[in-house]
Amino acid sequence: MVKVYYDQDADLSYLKDKTSAIIGYGNQGKAQAMNMRDSGLSVIIGSIKDASWDEAVEDGFQVYPIKEASQKGDIIFLLIPDEVQKDVYEKEIKEALTSGKALNFAHGYNIRYGLIKPPEDVDVIMVAPRMIGVRVRTSFVEGTGVPSFLAVEQDASGHAKDIALAISKAIGSTRVGVLESSFAEETELDLFSEQFIWPVITRTFRLSFELLVEAGYSPEIVALELYGSEEASEVFREMARVGFFKQMSFHSHTSQYGTLTRGPRVMPEEEKELIKEILEEIKDGSFSKEWEEEQKKGYPIFNRLKEEALQHPMNQAEENIGRLIKGLRD
Ligand code: NDP
């Protein structure tokens, strides 16, 4: 059984005489910095001179260039996009990461694939919220929190886990539960969701939309029926809240029968072979290499596919729904 930590397992005093340098004031950086500050801790921000810098100043933080923040900070939170972390680490952080400091991640990618190799005399930890930054903040303000995965890759101080638990508490995660994981587990599962679960869902909706419109159904009706009414998001919420299968009781018997009988037809057991292939590419590093190549070339495939997706007729149908149905897409 996985180990789960709550407020009583975490002690903020491990952060009391330390400065946390939050590098990157974006989705996670802003939320975590604000929660840490509201937890009574010393927080500074490291940023490039952009809109995020100005926002952090407006929010009342002391903001420094990344190198300077890394020098001042005892615990360095790497909360910039994963694909720029290696470069920024090499140029701005590495030298400042002196003995006894800690490097904290919100996702394990760069450690899992060996892109960042911190020195042995620093703690390397991860507190990875399972939620977008906005919710990390709003749930904290509401007096609750979001679950996180916690991991220790290197324990140079002998207190790496205590520090990670204190961070978890300061951002609100131990209020609801923090699950002990590893950099490899968190990264591989995250990539798996992104590369199997979400493609299956998005591809299914896209192909269904195309087929149904070709069959003569109205694009707006199809988009609303498939996902636009937010019924699909409600089903996901109930899966998490009530249970993956138990939530079926909210649907008609016809719906339940249709889902249970057609499931194995649309995705037979043999599909597990394809699922294994996707997982293998994640585990053996071939996806990571492919993504690195794509970045080096300036994202040609990524940009083309994204552009194509944004031109898809589903976009027009959604806009029409937004105009036609009150309260949707506000
Ligand atoms: P963001 O995309 O919000 O970027 C964070 C900040 O980094 C922004 O202020 C951005 O500035 C800045 N930035 C972008 N490029 C550079 C660069 N080259 N050098 C320095 N700063 C740069 O990141 P997220 O908060 O989404 O992700 C941070 C980490 O958190 C990642 O490891 C991610 O996997 C993890 N994570 C993210 C979640 C989320 O909610 N998005 C959920 C859980 C984990 P600008 O705005 O100018 O681009």
Side-chain angles (χ1 to χ4, degrees), residues 24-28 48 50 52 66 79-82 84-85 88 106-107 129 131-133:
Y25 199 72
N27 292 311
Q28 283 297 322
I48 44 175
D50 62 355
S52 305
I66 293 174
L79 298 181
I80 53 178
D82 299 295
V84 305
Q85 286 185 3
V88 173
H107 178 38
M131 187 51 78
I132 58 170

Side-chain angles (χ1 to χ4, degrees), residues 73-122:
D74 302 297
I75 299 161
I76 298 166
F77 289 55
L78 206 41
L79 298 181
I80 53 178
D82 299 295
E83 59 274 23
V84 305
Q85 286 185 3
K86 177 184 155 88
D87 204 37
V88 173
Y89 172 83
E90 291 293 334
K91 291 185 183 139
E92 316 278 346
I93 298 172
K94 196 173 165 178
E95 267 181 40
L97 194 59
T98 47
S99 182
K101 291 196 180 189
L103 187 60
N104 177 43
F105 291 83
H107 178 38
Y109 193 98
N110 281 279
I111 293 292
R112 162 63 181 84
Y113 292 111
L115 302 170
I116 292 178
K117 293 191 170 71
E120 283 177 6
D121 54 357
V122 303

Side-chain angles (χ1 to χ4, degrees), residues 154-297:
Q154 262 180 215
D155 184 9
S157 68
H159 289 293
K161 190 153 144 190
D162 298 317
I163 294 169
L165 278 170
I167 293 170
S168 307
K169 186 170 190 170
I171 65 168
S173 284
T174 47
R175 291 175 181 175
V176 291
V178 171
L179 284 72
E180 185 154 4
S181 183
S182 66
F183 277 68
E185 185 175 60
E186 187 273 342
T187 305
E188 290 166 18
L189 291 182
D190 200 56
L191 292 178
F192 181 78
S193 294
E194 292 163 2
Q195 292 175 36
F196 184 72
I197 305 293
W198 292 111
V200 164
I201 292 171
T202 52
R203 191 84 185 142
T204 304
F205 279 40
R206 180 179 174 150
L207 292 183
S208 300
F209 178 90
E210 290 170 5
L211 179 141
L212 292 167
V213 171
E214 280 158 26
Y217 298 96
S218 311
E220 291 78 19
I221 302 271
V222 172
L224 194 78
E225 174 61 25
L226 294 183
Y227 62 95
S229 69
E230 296 182 7
E231 190 190 8
S233 12
E234 204 57 41
V235 170
F236 275 113
R237 198 188 331 278
E238 295 306 326
M239 281 176 171
R241 211 178 58 82
V242 179
F244 192 82
F245 293 115
K246 290 196 188 87
Q247 61 78 34
M248 286 196 306
S249 62
F250 297 129
H251 306 276
S252 69
H253 288 155
T254 315
S255 158
Q256 293 179 40
Y257 178 77
T259 301
L260 290 168
T261 54
R262 267 50 184 177
R265 256 174 75 189
V266 297
M267 189 169 291
E269 281 291 307
E270 301 84 74
E271 286 297 312
K272 274 192 183 158
E273 287 310 311
L274 171 70
I275 307 179
K276 273 190 209 154
E277 235 176 73
I278 301 275
L279 183 60
E280 210 36 55
E281 285 176 12
I282 293 168
K283 286 172 81 75
D284 71 12
S286 21
F287 169 79
S288 161
K289 283 201 188 77
E290 176 188 323
W291 181 218
E292 224 181 319
E293 280 305 306
E294 173 72 2
Q295 291 166 41
K296 277 186 200 146
K297 288 182 196 153

